[in-house]
């Protein structure tokens, strides 16, 4: 297949170093379950999953069964845990793919039981407790009924209880998150009392894993920080205040392209659609073969800088569907074919996903997950 002119380089060393860092944080007994949904936060589902499998991962968290089929086809044998929706109609497929999954309704438990019938195997279920995020899950009373119901099913094993924080990384005030943790621990104790003394619990995302040892419990579901990014500036501040700032995260993704053309635009001319930039002096413009189709957000228009020959060059005019223009007047010697860094390190400088997110008015999570799947991911 012909090569695309924009690509991501994924550092396997960084992914593995991040997992080693989390293993150090959570200790040997806690399951380390990096989250590879959303194309591994844009890092490439199969590539990142294989890297994690070779590192310290015990389980991979995915969003739905479609990702499980891709990973199984790629030869991955690691336990897979589905945190998004599995429908009762998908029970047989779920059983065949050998995943554990999150459940919160009787229909799914019954369908899983039917799918496992006669196999002698059980499908592992994490019951989702609602603790205040009001997304997935059920209250404690409902969960109790589900546990009792499942105790009569031979194909289903409720192995754990789970929930998800609403407000850890968005603030340095963790009062609400602490209430969720307390409510979860009370729920876990109550459900253990239903004749399931071995019942496990998982609640922690990246921020909670970094900030609170008491939230690690039996498994941590680390997403963004497995890829070397902080969940937010607030989490970084909280980690610093609680003296847990020794956590070292290494961003694994670089996003690159090459210069397509260099030209001089006379003073007083316009650049791009809508004529949003007008030159004030003769300007060297480089055209890049990357645009919002690739995930280079239109918010980068007249705002972002990229790195060329180790120096910053600013985006001029609007980002187009497949192209963007940058001002290389101050970067000597730029030629067609020169490598351009959209995200990553170059020389002694860097463009971070966080910086790109600020230009686009969003968060680092959205920047890397929205790099188009058509952009190749290359392991380095
Ligand atoms: C995405 C997700 C995570 C990971 O969150 P991060 O903030 O990226 O670490 C954990 N648990 C669930 C249920 C999720 O959906």
């Amino acid at each position: 297949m012909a090569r695309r002119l924009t690509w991501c380089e994924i550092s396997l060393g960084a992914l593995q170093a991040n997992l080693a860092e989390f293993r150090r944080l959570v200790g040997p007994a806690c399951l380390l379950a990096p989250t590879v949904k959303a194309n591994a936060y844009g890092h490439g589902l199969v590539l990142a999953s294989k890297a994690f499998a070779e590192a310290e991962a015990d389980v991979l968290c995915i969003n739905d069964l479609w990702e499980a089929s891709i990973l199984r086809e790629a030869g991955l044998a690691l336990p897979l845990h589905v945190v998004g929706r599995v429908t009762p109609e998908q029970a047989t497929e779920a059983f065949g793919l050998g995943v554990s999954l999150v459940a919160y309704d009787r229909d799914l438990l019954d369908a899983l039981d039917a799918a496992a019938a006669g196999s002698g195997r059980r499908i592992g279920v994490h019951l989702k407790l609602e603790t205040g995020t009001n997304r997935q899950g059920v209250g404690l009373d409902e969960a109790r009924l589900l546990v009792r119901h499942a105790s009569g099913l031979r194909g289903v094993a409720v192995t754990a209880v789970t929930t998800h924080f609403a407000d850890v990384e968005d603030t340095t005030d963790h009062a609400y998150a602490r209430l969720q943790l307390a409510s979860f621990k009370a729920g876990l104790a109550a459900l253990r009392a239903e004749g399931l003394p071995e019942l496990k619990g998982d609640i922690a995302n990246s921020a909670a894993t970094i900030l609170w040892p008491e939230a690690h419990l039996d498994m941590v579901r680390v997403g963004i920080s497995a890829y070397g990014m902080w969940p937010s500036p607030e989490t970084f501040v909280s980690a610093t205040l609680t003296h847990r700032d020794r956590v070292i995260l290494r961003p694994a993704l670089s996003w690159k392209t090459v210069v397509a053309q260099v030209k001089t635009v006379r003073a007083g001319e316009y650049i791009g659609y809508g004529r949003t930039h007008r030159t004030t002096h003769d300007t060297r413009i480089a055209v890049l073969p990357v645009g919002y189709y690739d995930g280079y957000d239109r918010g980068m228009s007249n705002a972002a800088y990229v790195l060329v020959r180790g120096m910053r060059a600013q985006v001029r005019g609007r980002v187009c569907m497949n192209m963007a223009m940058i001002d290389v007047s101050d970067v000597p010697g730029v030629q067609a074919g020169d490598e351009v860094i959209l995200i990553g390190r170059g020389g002694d400088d860097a463009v971070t996903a966080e910086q790109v997110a600020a230009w686009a008015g969003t968060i680092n999570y959205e920047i890397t997950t929205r790099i188009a799947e058509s952009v190749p991911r290359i392991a380095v």
Side-chain angles (χ1 to χ4, degrees):
M1 209 185 295
R3 197 169 79 86
R4 291 217 61 203
L5 297 176
T6 181
W7 68 95
C8 290
E9 294 176 3
I10 309 298
S11 163
L12 301 181
L15 294 178
Q16 292 172 350
N18 295 330
L19 275 215
E21 189 72 347
F22 278 102
R23 174 58 73 200
R24 184 178 68 73
L25 275 185
V26 302
C30 177
L31 295 182
L32 187 48
T35 302
V36 296
K37 68 191 182 198
N39 198 24
Y41 288 51
H43 293 63
L45 173 62
V46 171
L47 184 156
S49 297
K50 285 188 169 166
F52 290 149
E54 282 170 24
E56 314 262 342
D58 299 300
V59 180
L60 298 176
C61 287
I62 53 180
N63 183 63
D64 62 46
L65 283 180
W66 160 73
E67 292 155 326
S69 342
I70 294 172
L71 291 175
R72 291 299 184 228
E73 256 165 52
L76 230 100
L78 210 65
L80 301 177
H81 180 59
V82 186
V83 300
R85 176 62 171 163
V86 175
T87 65
E89 293 72 29
Q90 292 176 308
T92 303
E93 205 179 1
F95 185 73
L97 288 163
V99 299
S100 60
L101 49 84
V102 167
Y104 37 82
D105 65 276
R106 201 180 274 231
D107 287 351
L108 179 58
L109 296 180
D110 289 341
L112 292 170
D113 184 50
S119 70
R121 273 202 301 142
R122 287 173 169 235
I123 186 157
V125 163
H126 295 213
L127 274 191
K128 187 118 189 190
L129 266 189
E130 180 55 75
T131 56
T133 301
N134 289 314
R135 198 170 72 172
Q136 276 177 315
V138 293
L140 180 56
D141 291 342
E142 179 82 25
R144 216 182 248 118
L145 295 177
L146 288 173
V147 162
R148 288 179 193 160
H149 180 70
S151 70
L153 305 177
R154 307 184 61 147
V156 175
V158 176
T159 56
V161 186
T162 184
T163 196
H164 192 53
F165 284 115
D167 200 19
V168 198
E169 59 272 349
D170 291 298
T171 175
T172 55
D173 174 0
H174 295 122
Y176 191 81
R178 291 209 174 274
L179 284 177
Q180 280 193 285
L181 180 59
S183 152
F184 181 68
K185 285 187 169 174
L188 178 56
L191 295 173
R192 279 181 178 154
E194 294 289 324
L196 290 173
E198 308 280 288
L199 197 62
K200 297 186 184 317
D202 58 276
I203 184 171
N205 55 7
S206 295
T209 306
I210 291 170
L211 297 176
W212 299 337
E214 64 272 34
H216 294 169
L217 305 180
D218 299 297
M219 179 170 101
V220 293
R221 309 182 305 259
V222 180
I224 192 94
S225 297
Y227 305 97
M229 291 176 276
W230 282 81
S232 65
E234 288 83 353
T235 304
F236 186 79
V237 169
S238 298
T240 306
L241 293 175
T242 54
H243 307 292
R244 296 185 64 82
D245 54 334
R246 294 153 292 122
V247 178
I248 310 257
L249 300 176
R250 287 176 54 191
L253 178 142
S254 305
W255 187 6
K256 299 184 175 177
T257 185
V258 286
V259 171
Q261 184 186 7
V262 184
K263 63 175 71 170
T264 299
V265 176
R266 290 296 166 120
E269 293 196 24
Y270 301 98
I271 313 278
Y273 290 130
R275 298 185 296 150
T276 60
H277 181 79
R278 189 173 195 185
T279 54
T280 55
H281 51 83
D282 289 1
T283 302
R284 291 290 282 169
I285 288 291
V287 182
L288 307 182
V290 64
Y292 58 79
Y293 162 68
D294 302 295
Y296 198 64
D297 196 281
R298 205 158 163 274
M300 299 303 117
S301 302
N302 291 308
Y305 59 80
V306 300
L307 300 176
V308 195
R309 297 188 172 229
M311 293 176 72
R312 295 184 184 194
Q314 200 161 19
V315 173
R316 294 288 190 227
R318 290 220 178 111
V319 170
C320 317
M321 190 180 288
N322 292 103
M323 294 183 213
M325 286 73 86
I326 58 172
D327 182 343
V328 293
S329 302
D330 297 328
V331 187
V334 176
Q335 297 171 12
D338 278 3
E339 187 173 280
V340 175
I341 298 171
L342 308 174
I343 296 178
R345 300 203 65 84
D348 65 352
D349 211 342
V351 188
T352 62
E354 291 70 28
Q355 182 63 68
V356 170
W359 286 317
T362 183
I363 54 175
N364 49 5
Y365 290 74
E366 190 179 350
I367 294 301
T368 64
T369 59
R370 292 189 66 188
I371 300 173
E373 291 198 24
S374 58
V375 174
R377 270 65 171 182
I378 298 162
V380 295

